[in-house]
Amino acid sequence: MRHRQRTLVAFAYGFRTGKIKRARTWSRVHALSVTALALLSLFRPASAAPPPPPEAESSLGAIKMREYMRQIKSFEAAGLPIPAPPGNGGQCLIELGGQVQPSSGQRGQTSSYRLYEIQRWVVSPAPSQAGQNLLVYSTTWTTSGNGTRHEDNGYGEINDWTWNVSGTSNVALQAQKIASGNWLVQVPQANAANAITVTQLHNSDRPKTYQQTAYAYGYPAMVAAPPPSGSPPGTAWRVGEAKTWLVPSQTNWGYPRPAYAKGSVACSWNLAVGL
């Protein structure tokens, strides 16, 4: 390797000082260029790593699958097996949690929170009202879940909450034809009175039980994709999507949720609309 380096240095020095005669013809210049490139190629690192094969790169699909499997285990541990999404409709998995600990060796607040909830929208296959520009579908919204919260201020004030969620509501999903000719699908707002049963225990006092209203997650509007070109008349337009959002701190579905509780809402929709 040192011999090759000395050869290249000698060549470059001789050419610059004139000890190697400058080429007067294109062919000689070309020959020198080829020689220099050949010498430079000797210094290419022998251990240069080739590009990673496609299978070595992280797959977004695999990452999503791992996250979904983690969710399945978490919900099952909370006594909430995740059902298959509706054949026509949508499903959201709501998962929140968090904790607060005092500094090591210090007295202070100790807190923890968790919530698992499954919300579903089951949409009728045929519209209950059908017009040229507006379709209305009967929809059943259901919610189920549970959670806990613990607050200890470190000075004898302790509060514990546990709650269960179970509710249903009949609502109407609308699909409206917009200027582009597509169908804009509006997910209805929904709520269920007294669907959350909360039990609160303060210190050693007798437990107090009360009920609250459960609210549907405010899923944004969706645009249905047209059927493939050449499809027979009457082929449905379809919505098929899966999205995950972080839960903003100000969001509250009626639970005793503290600001330190963070989490996500993972939703999937498979829906057919159209005349």
Side-chain angles (χ1 to χ4, degrees):
M1 185 65 180
R2 290 181 179 176
H3 174 71
R4 292 175 181 174
Q5 290 176 333
R6 287 198 297 268
T7 302
L8 178 62
V9 171
F11 175 83
Y13 177 79
F15 187 78
R16 182 166 58 85
T17 59
K19 292 181 179 180
I20 294 178
K21 300 296 184 178
R22 290 179 171 82
R24 296 181 180 276
T25 65
W26 183 90
S27 61
R28 293 180 64 188
V29 171
H30 178 69
L32 289 172
S33 300
V34 171
T35 303
L37 290 173
L39 288 169
L40 287 172
S41 68
L42 297 176
F43 294 93
R44 184 178 300 161
S47 59
E55 60 269 18
E57 299 179 356
S58 296
S59 167
L60 181 59
I63 292 173
K64 289 182 177 180
M65 179 56 68
R66 286 196 296 270
E67 172 61 16
Y68 183 62
M69 296 305 296
R70 184 202 63 78
Q71 280 188 320
I72 289 177
K73 293 180 180 179
S74 297
F75 276 73
E76 285 182 346
L80 288 171
I82 299 176
N88 197 54
Q91 178 169 283
C92 289
L93 307 178
I94 302 170
E95 184 178 5
L96 304 176
Q99 61 181 5
V100 173
Q101 297 288 341
S103 301
S104 179
Q106 301 294 317
R107 174 185 284 186
Q109 180 182 0
T110 301
S111 306
S112 62
Y113 181 95
R114 72 163 182 84
L115 165 68
Y116 298 99
E117 184 177 1
I118 301 172
Q119 296 192 3
R120 293 166 59 85
W121 292 259
V122 179
V123 182
S124 64
S128 57
Q129 299 179 37
Q132 289 299 318
N133 298 311
L134 180 65
L135 304 173
V136 180
Y137 294 84
S138 299
T139 303
T140 301
W141 173 75
T142 60
T143 180
S144 59
N146 59 60
T148 63
R149 179 181 176 184
H150 172 78
E151 300 288 344
D152 182 347
N153 69 357
Y155 297 91
E157 189 79 14
I158 302 174
N159 281 283
D160 284 285
W161 294 264
T162 60
W163 59 89
N164 289 289
V165 186
S166 180
T168 185
S169 180
N170 294 319
V171 292
L173 179 143
Q174 293 186 354
Q176 183 176 7
K177 184 161 284 190
I178 54 180
S180 63
N182 295 327
W183 289 97
L184 181 68
V185 179
Q186 301 281 356
V187 180
Q189 294 292 321
N191 63 78
N194 301 325
I196 306 172
T197 301
V198 183
T199 300
Q200 180 181 1
L201 179 62
H202 174 257
N203 293 344
S204 57
D205 298 345
R206 296 180 62 181
K208 180 175 68 173
T209 299
Y210 56 94
Q211 293 179 308
Q212 292 182 315
T213 299
Y215 295 91
Y217 177 69
Y219 199 89
M222 302 172 286
V223 176
S229 178
S231 298
T235 301
W237 293 46
R238 300 204 66 86
V239 173
E241 63 181 42
K243 295 182 178 180
T244 299
W245 292 268
L246 296 180
V247 177
S249 58
Q250 70 271 19
T251 301
N252 196 325
W253 288 289
Y255 315 110
R257 177 191 166 203
Y260 63 79
K262 310 297 182 183
S264 62
V265 180
C267 302
S268 61
W269 279 85
N270 180 33
L271 181 66
V273 299
L275 294 174

